[in-house]
Structure formats: structure tokens, C-alpha cells
Coordinates of all heavy atoms in Angstrom, one line a residue:
M8 N 19.0 -5.7 -1.0 CA 18.5 -5.3 0.2 C 17.1 -6.0 0.4 O 16.3 -6.1 -0.5 CB 18.3 -3.7 0.2 CG 17.6 -3.2 1.4 SD 17.3 -1.4 1.2 CE 16.7 -0.9 2.7
R9 N 16.9 -6.5 1.6 CA 15.6 -7.2 1.9 C 15.0 -6.5 3.2 O 15.7 -6.2 4.1 CB 15.9 -8.6 2.1 CG 14.5 -9.4 2.1 CD 14.8 -10.9 2.2 NE 15.3 -11.5 0.9 CZ 14.6 -12.0 -0.1 NH1 13.3 -12.0 0.0 NH2 15.1 -12.5 -1.1
I10 N 13.7 -6.3 3.1 CA 13.0 -5.7 4.2 C 11.8 -6.5 4.7 O 11.4 -7.4 4.0 CB 12.5 -4.3 3.9 CG1 11.6 -4.4 2.7 CG2 13.7 -3.3 3.6 CD1 10.8 -3.1 2.5
Q11 N 11.4 -6.1 5.9 CA 10.2 -6.8 6.4 C 9.3 -5.7 7.1 O 9.9 -4.8 7.7 CB 10.7 -7.7 7.5 CG 9.8 -8.7 8.1 CD 10.6 -9.7 9.0 OE1 11.3 -9.2 9.9 NE2 10.4 -10.9 8.8
V12 N 8.1 -5.8 7.0 CA 7.2 -4.9 7.7 C 6.6 -5.7 8.9 O 6.0 -6.8 8.7 CB 6.0 -4.3 6.9 CG1 5.1 -3.5 7.7 CG2 6.6 -3.5 5.7
E13 N 6.8 -5.2 10.1 CA 6.2 -5.9 11.3 C 4.7 -5.5 11.4 O 4.4 -4.4 11.7 CB 6.9 -5.3 12.5 CG 7.9 -6.3 13.0 CD 8.5 -5.8 14.4 OE1 7.7 -6.0 15.4 OE2 9.6 -5.3 14.3
G14 N 3.9 -6.4 11.0 CA 2.4 -6.1 10.9 C 1.9 -5.7 12.2 O 1.0 -4.9 12.2
A15 N 2.4 -6.1 13.3 CA 1.8 -5.7 14.7 C 2.1 -4.3 15.0 O 1.5 -3.7 15.8 CB 2.4 -6.6 15.7
R16 N 3.2 -3.8 14.4 CA 3.5 -2.4 14.6 C 2.9 -1.4 13.7 O 2.7 -0.2 14.0 CB 5.1 -2.2 14.5 CG 5.8 -2.6 15.7 CD 7.3 -2.4 15.4 NE 8.1 -2.6 16.6 CZ 8.6 -1.7 17.4 NH1 8.4 -0.4 17.2 NH2 9.3 -2.0 18.4
C17 N 2.7 -1.8 12.4 CA 2.2 -0.9 11.4 C 0.9 -0.3 11.8 O 0.0 -0.9 12.3 CB 2.0 -1.7 10.1 SG 1.3 -0.7 8.7
Q18 N 0.9 1.1 11.6 CA -0.3 1.8 12.1 C -1.1 2.4 10.9 O -1.9 3.3 10.9 CB 0.1 3.0 13.0 CG 0.7 2.5 14.3 CD -0.3 1.8 15.1 OE1 -1.4 2.2 15.3 NE2 0.1 0.7 15.7
A19 N -0.7 1.9 9.6 CA -1.4 2.3 8.4 C -1.3 3.8 8.1 O -2.2 4.4 7.6 CB -2.9 1.8 8.5
Y20 N -0.1 4.3 8.3 CA 0.1 5.7 7.9 C 0.3 5.9 6.4 O 0.0 7.0 5.9 CB 1.3 6.3 8.7 CG 1.1 6.5 10.1 CD1 1.7 5.6 11.1 CD2 0.3 7.5 10.6 CE1 1.5 5.8 12.4 CE2 0.1 7.7 12.0 CZ 0.7 6.8 12.9 OH 0.6 7.0 14.2
G21 N 0.8 4.9 5.8 CA 0.9 4.9 4.3 C 2.2 5.6 3.8 O 2.3 5.8 2.6
L22 N 3.0 6.2 4.7 CA 4.2 6.9 4.3 C 5.1 6.1 3.4 O 5.7 6.6 2.5 CB 4.9 7.4 5.5 CG 4.6 8.8 6.0 CD1 5.4 9.1 7.2 CD2 5.1 9.8 4.9
C23 N 5.2 4.8 3.8 CA 6.1 3.9 3.1 C 5.8 3.9 1.6 O 6.7 4.0 0.7 CB 6.2 2.6 3.7 SG 4.5 1.9 3.9
V24 N 4.5 3.8 1.3 CA 4.1 3.7 -0.1 C 4.4 5.0 -0.9 O 4.7 5.0 -2.1 CB 2.6 3.3 -0.3 CG1 2.1 3.4 -1.6 CG2 2.5 1.9 0.3
E25 N 4.3 6.1 -0.2 CA 4.6 7.4 -0.8 C 6.1 7.4 -1.2 O 6.4 7.9 -2.3 CB 4.3 8.5 0.1 CG 2.8 8.7 0.2 CD 2.4 9.9 1.2 OE1 3.2 10.8 1.3 OE2 1.4 9.8 1.8
H26 N 6.9 6.9 -0.3 CA 8.4 7.0 -0.6 C 8.9 5.9 -1.6 O 9.8 6.2 -2.4 CB 9.2 6.8 0.7 CG 9.1 8.0 1.6 ND1 9.3 9.3 1.1 CD2 8.8 8.2 2.9 CE1 9.1 10.2 2.1 NE2 8.8 9.5 3.2
A27 N 8.3 4.8 -1.6 CA 8.7 3.6 -2.4 C 7.5 2.8 -2.8 O 7.3 1.7 -2.3 CB 9.8 2.8 -1.7
P28 N 6.7 3.3 -3.8 CA 5.5 2.6 -4.2 C 5.7 1.2 -4.7 O 4.8 0.4 -4.4 CB 5.0 3.5 -5.3 CG 5.8 4.7 -5.3 CD 7.0 4.5 -4.6
A29 N 6.8 0.9 -5.2 CA 7.0 -0.5 -5.7 C 7.4 -1.5 -4.7 O 7.3 -2.7 -4.8 CB 8.1 -0.5 -6.8
A30 N 7.8 -1.0 -3.5 CA 8.4 -1.9 -2.5 C 7.4 -2.3 -1.4 O 7.7 -3.1 -0.6 CB 9.6 -1.2 -1.8
F31 N 6.2 -1.6 -1.4 CA 5.2 -1.9 -0.4 C 3.8 -2.1 -1.1 O 3.6 -1.6 -2.1 CB 5.1 -0.8 0.6 CG 6.4 -0.5 1.4 CD1 7.3 0.4 0.9 CD2 6.8 -1.2 2.5 CE1 8.5 0.7 1.6 CE2 7.9 -1.0 3.2 CZ 8.8 0.0 2.7
Q32 N 3.1 -2.9 -0.4 CA 1.7 -3.1 -0.7 C 0.8 -2.7 0.5 O 1.2 -3.1 1.6 CB 1.4 -4.5 -1.1 CG 2.1 -4.9 -2.4 CD 2.1 -6.4 -2.6 OE1 2.0 -7.2 -1.7 NE2 2.1 -6.8 -3.9
L33 N -0.3 -2.0 0.3 CA -1.2 -1.8 1.3 C -2.4 -2.6 1.2 O -2.9 -2.8 0.1 CB -1.7 -0.3 1.3 CG -0.6 0.8 1.4 CD1 -1.2 2.1 1.5 CD2 0.3 0.5 2.7
D34 N -3.0 -3.1 2.3 CA -4.2 -3.9 2.2 C -5.4 -3.0 2.2 O -5.2 -1.7 2.2 CB -4.3 -5.0 3.3 CG -4.4 -4.4 4.7 OD1 -4.8 -3.2 4.8 OD2 -4.2 -5.1 5.7
D35 N -6.6 -3.5 2.2 CA -7.8 -2.7 2.1 C -7.9 -1.7 3.3 O -8.7 -0.7 3.2 CB -9.0 -3.6 2.1 CG -9.1 -4.3 0.8 OD1 -8.4 -4.0 -0.2 OD2 -9.9 -5.3 0.7
W36 N -7.2 -1.9 4.4 CA -7.3 -1.1 5.5 C -6.1 -0.2 5.6 O -6.0 0.6 6.6 CB -7.5 -1.9 6.8 CG -8.7 -2.7 6.8 CD1 -10.0 -2.2 7.3 CD2 -8.9 -4.0 6.4 NE1 -10.9 -3.2 7.1 CE2 -10.3 -4.3 6.5 CE3 -8.1 -4.9 5.7 CZ2 -10.9 -5.5 6.1 CZ3 -8.6 -6.2 5.3 CH2 -10.0 -6.5 5.5
G37 N -5.2 -0.3 4.7 CA -4.0 0.6 4.7 C -2.8 0.1 5.4 O -1.8 0.8 5.5
Y38 N -2.9 -1.2 5.8 CA -1.7 -1.7 6.5 C -0.8 -2.3 5.4 O -1.1 -2.8 4.4 CB -2.1 -2.9 7.4 CG -2.9 -2.3 8.6 CD1 -4.3 -2.2 8.6 CD2 -2.2 -1.8 9.7 CE1 -5.0 -1.7 9.7 CE2 -2.9 -1.3 10.8 CZ -4.3 -1.3 10.8 OH -4.9 -0.7 11.9
A39 N 0.5 -2.1 5.7 CA 1.6 -2.4 4.7 C 2.2 -3.8 4.9 O 2.3 -4.2 6.0 CB 2.7 -1.3 4.8
T40 N 2.5 -4.3 3.7 CA 3.4 -5.5 3.7 C 4.5 -5.2 2.7 O 4.3 -4.3 1.8 CB 2.7 -6.8 3.3 OG1 2.0 -6.6 2.1 CG2 1.7 -7.3 4.4
A41 N 5.6 -5.9 2.8 CA 6.7 -5.7 1.8 C 6.3 -6.4 0.5 O 5.9 -7.6 0.6 CB 8.0 -6.2 2.4
A42 N 6.4 -5.7 -0.6 CA 6.2 -6.4 -1.9 C 7.3 -7.3 -2.2 O 8.4 -7.2 -1.7 CB 6.0 -5.3 -3.0
D43 N 7.1 -8.2 -3.2 CA 8.1 -9.1 -3.7 C 9.0 -9.8 -2.7 O 10.2 -9.9 -2.7 CB 9.1 -8.2 -4.6 CG 9.8 -9.1 -5.7 OD1 9.4 -10.3 -5.8 OD2 10.7 -8.6 -6.2
D44 N 8.2 -10.3 -1.6 CA 8.9 -11.1 -0.6 C 10.0 -10.2 0.1 O 10.9 -10.8 0.7 CB 9.5 -12.3 -1.2 CG 9.5 -13.5 -0.2 OD1 8.7 -13.4 0.9 OD2 10.2 -14.5 -0.3
G45 N 9.8 -8.9 0.1 CA 10.8 -8.0 0.8 C 12.0 -7.6 0.0 O 12.8 -6.9 0.5
L46 N 12.1 -8.2 -1.1 CA 13.3 -7.9 -1.9 C 13.2 -6.5 -2.6 O 12.2 -6.2 -3.3 CB 13.5 -8.9 -3.0 CG 14.9 -9.0 -3.7 CD1 16.0 -9.3 -2.7 CD2 14.9 -10.1 -4.7
V47 N 14.2 -5.6 -2.3 CA 14.2 -4.3 -2.8 C 15.2 -4.1 -3.9 O 16.3 -4.5 -3.8 CB 14.5 -3.3 -1.7 CG1 14.5 -1.9 -2.2 CG2 13.5 -3.4 -0.5
T48 N 14.7 -3.7 -5.1 CA 15.6 -3.5 -6.2 C 16.4 -2.2 -6.0 O 15.9 -1.2 -5.3 CB 14.9 -3.4 -7.5 OG1 13.9 -2.4 -7.5 CG2 14.2 -4.7 -7.8
A49 N 17.5 -2.1 -6.6 CA 18.4 -0.9 -6.4 C 17.8 0.4 -6.6 O 18.0 1.3 -5.8 CB 19.6 -1.0 -7.4
P50 N 16.9 0.6 -7.6 CA 16.3 1.9 -7.8 C 15.4 2.3 -6.6 O 15.2 3.5 -6.4 CB 15.5 1.9 -9.1 CG 16.1 0.6 -9.8 CD 16.6 -0.2 -8.7
D51 N 14.9 1.3 -5.9 CA 14.0 1.6 -4.8 C 14.7 1.8 -3.5 O 14.0 2.2 -2.4 CB 12.9 0.5 -4.6 CG 12.0 0.5 -5.8 OD1 11.6 1.6 -6.3 OD2 11.6 -0.6 -6.2
V52 N 16.0 1.5 -3.4 CA 16.7 1.6 -2.1 C 16.6 3.0 -1.4 O 16.3 3.0 -0.2 CB 18.2 1.1 -2.3 CG1 19.0 1.4 -1.0 CG2 18.2 -0.4 -2.5
P53 N 16.9 4.1 -2.1 CA 16.8 5.4 -1.5 C 15.4 5.6 -0.9 O 15.3 6.1 0.3 CB 17.1 6.4 -2.5 CG 17.9 5.6 -3.6 CD 17.3 4.2 -3.5
G54 N 14.3 5.3 -1.6 CA 13.0 5.5 -1.1 C 12.7 4.6 0.1 O 12.0 5.0 1.1
V55 N 13.2 3.4 0.1 CA 12.9 2.5 1.2 C 13.7 2.9 2.4 O 13.2 2.9 3.5 CB 13.3 1.0 0.8 CG1 13.3 0.1 2.0 CG2 12.3 0.5 -0.2
E56 N 14.9 3.4 2.2 CA 15.6 3.9 3.4 C 14.9 5.1 4.0 O 14.9 5.2 5.2 CB 17.1 4.3 2.9 CG 18.0 3.1 2.7 CD 19.3 3.3 2.2 OE1 19.6 4.4 1.7 OE2 20.2 2.4 2.4
K57 N 14.3 5.9 3.1 CA 13.6 7.1 3.7 C 12.4 6.5 4.4 O 12.0 7.1 5.5 CB 13.1 7.9 2.5 CG 13.1 9.4 2.8 CD 12.9 10.2 1.5 CE 12.9 11.7 1.9 NZ 12.6 12.5 0.8
A58 N 11.7 5.5 3.8 CA 10.5 4.9 4.6 C 10.9 4.4 5.9 O 10.2 4.5 6.9 CB 9.9 3.9 3.7
I59 N 12.0 3.7 5.9 CA 12.5 3.1 7.2 C 12.7 4.2 8.2 O 12.3 4.1 9.4 CB 13.8 2.3 7.0 CG1 13.5 1.0 6.2 CG2 14.4 2.0 8.4 CD1 14.7 0.3 5.7
A60 N 13.4 5.3 7.8 CA 13.7 6.4 8.7 C 12.4 7.1 9.1 O 12.4 7.6 10.3 CB 14.7 7.3 8.1
E61 N 11.4 7.2 8.3 CA 10.3 8.1 8.6 C 9.0 7.4 9.0 O 8.0 8.0 9.4 CB 10.0 9.0 7.4 CG 11.1 9.9 7.1 CD 10.9 10.9 6.0 OE1 9.7 11.0 5.5 OE2 11.8 11.5 5.6
C62 N 9.0 6.1 8.9 CA 7.8 5.3 9.4 C 7.5 5.7 10.8 O 8.3 5.5 11.7 CB 8.0 3.8 9.2 SG 6.7 2.8 10.0
P63 N 6.3 6.3 11.1 CA 6.0 6.8 12.4 C 5.9 5.6 13.4 O 6.1 5.8 14.6 CB 4.7 7.4 12.3 CG 4.5 7.6 10.8 CD 5.3 6.5 10.1
A64 N 5.7 4.4 13.0 CA 5.6 3.3 13.9 C 6.8 2.4 14.0 O 6.9 1.4 14.6 CB 4.4 2.4 13.4
Q65 N 7.9 2.9 13.2 CA 9.1 2.1 13.2 C 8.8 0.6 12.9 O 9.4 -0.3 13.5 CB 9.9 2.2 14.5 CG 10.3 3.7 14.8 CD 11.1 3.9 16.0 OE1 10.8 3.2 17.0 NE2 12.0 4.8 16.0
A66 N 8.0 0.4 11.9 CA 7.5 -0.9 11.6 C 8.3 -1.6 10.5 O 8.1 -2.8 10.2 CB 6.0 -0.9 11.2
I67 N 9.2 -0.9 9.8 CA 10.0 -1.4 8.7 C 11.4 -1.8 9.1 O 12.1 -0.9 9.7 CB 10.0 -0.5 7.5 CG1 8.6 0.1 7.2 CG2 10.6 -1.1 6.3 CD1 8.6 1.3 6.4
R68 N 11.8 -3.0 8.9 CA 13.2 -3.4 9.2 C 13.9 -3.9 8.0 O 13.4 -4.6 7.2 CB 13.1 -4.6 10.2 CG 12.5 -4.2 11.5 CD 12.8 -5.2 12.6 NE 12.1 -5.0 13.8 CZ 12.1 -3.9 14.4 NH1 13.1 -2.9 14.1 NH2 11.3 -3.6 15.5
R69 N 15.2 -3.6 8.0 CA 16.1 -4.1 7.0 C 16.5 -5.4 7.5 O 17.0 -5.5 8.6 CB 17.2 -3.2 6.8 CG 18.2 -3.6 5.8 CD 19.5 -2.8 5.9 NE 19.2 -1.4 5.6 CZ 19.8 -0.7 4.6 NH1 20.8 -1.3 3.9 NH2 19.6 0.6 4.3
I70 N 16.4 -6.5 6.7 CA 16.8 -7.8 7.2 C 18.0 -8.4 6.6 O 18.6 -9.3 7.0 CB 15.6 -8.9 7.2 CG1 15.0 -9.0 5.9 CG2 14.5 -8.5 8.3 CD1 13.9 -10.0 5.8
D71 N 18.4 -7.7 5.5 CA 19.8 -7.9 5.1 C 20.2 -6.7 4.1 O 19.3 -6.0 3.7 CB 20.1 -9.2 4.4 CG 19.5 -9.4 3.0 OD1 19.5 -8.4 2.3 OD2 19.1 -10.5 2.7
S72 N 21.4 -6.6 3.8 CA 21.9 -5.4 3.1 C 22.2 -5.7 1.6 O 22.5 -4.8 0.9 CB 23.1 -4.8 3.8 OG 24.1 -5.8 3.8
D73 N 22.0 -6.9 1.2 CA 22.3 -7.3 -0.2 C 21.2 -6.8 -1.2 O 20.1 -6.7 -0.8 CB 22.5 -8.8 -0.4 CG 23.6 -9.3 0.5 OD1 24.6 -8.5 0.6 OD2 23.6 -10.5 0.9
Ligands
SF4_26 S1 4.8 3.9 7.0 FE1 5.0 2.4 8.6 S2 3.1 2.5 9.7 FE2 2.7 3.5 7.8 S3 1.9 2.0 6.4 FE3 4.1 2.0 6.1 S4 4.9 0.5 7.5 FE4 2.8 0.9 8.2

């Protein structure tokens, strides 16, 4: 699974990091980017799916399902 955070949409709520700490990085202002070039390892998939569903800004997109 690969994801992307749309920087223009992210509102720095930080929920994504709570659900999947290994899959996201926050900058000094709390804005998220996808860690590891967006590649999500199997153990992080459930947390990332939760982050996608719950991101208040709908800023996280799945860009492939592998
Ligand atoms: S939950 Fe969404 S809005 Fe909040 S930091 Fe993560 S990507 Fe940005």
C-alpha cells in the first residue's frame, strides 16, 4: 500500500500520527508527510486506513493498494 499526504489540505491535526506513527512524519509546525516515500508496511495498514478515514482534512490518499 502506498499513500500520499496532500500538503495543501493538511491542517496539522496530527491524528494520522496517532493512528500510524511509523507511516507519517510531522514537521516542526505539525504538518504531515508520508514516511518512507509513502510505502506502508503490512502492520501499519490498519492504522493508516483509520487515518485516511478520520483525517479531518481528508488530506491522505491511497495511491495504490499493493
Ligand atoms: S490527520 Fe490529516 S490533517 Fe492531520 S496532520 Fe494528518 S494528514 Fe494532516
Side-chain angles (χ1 to χ4, degrees):
M8 176 183 187
R9 193 176 286 271
I10 57 166
Q11 192 173 49
V12 176
E13 258 187 76
R16 279 181 174 257
C17 176
Q18 298 292 316
Y20 290 105
L22 265 175
C23 50
V24 172
E25 287 178 29
H26 288 313
F31 299 94
Q32 291 167 333
L33 299 184
D34 68 15
D35 290 346
W36 296 273
Y38 291 93
T40 51
D43 202 16
D44 215 15
L46 196 59
V47 178
T48 57
D51 290 326
V52 168
V55 167
E56 284 176 339
K57 216 169 179 186
I59 291 170
E61 294 184 10
C62 170
Q65 298 180 323
I67 310 164
R68 293 197 191 296
R69 180 191 295 236
I70 53 177
D71 77 31
S72 56
D73 297 331

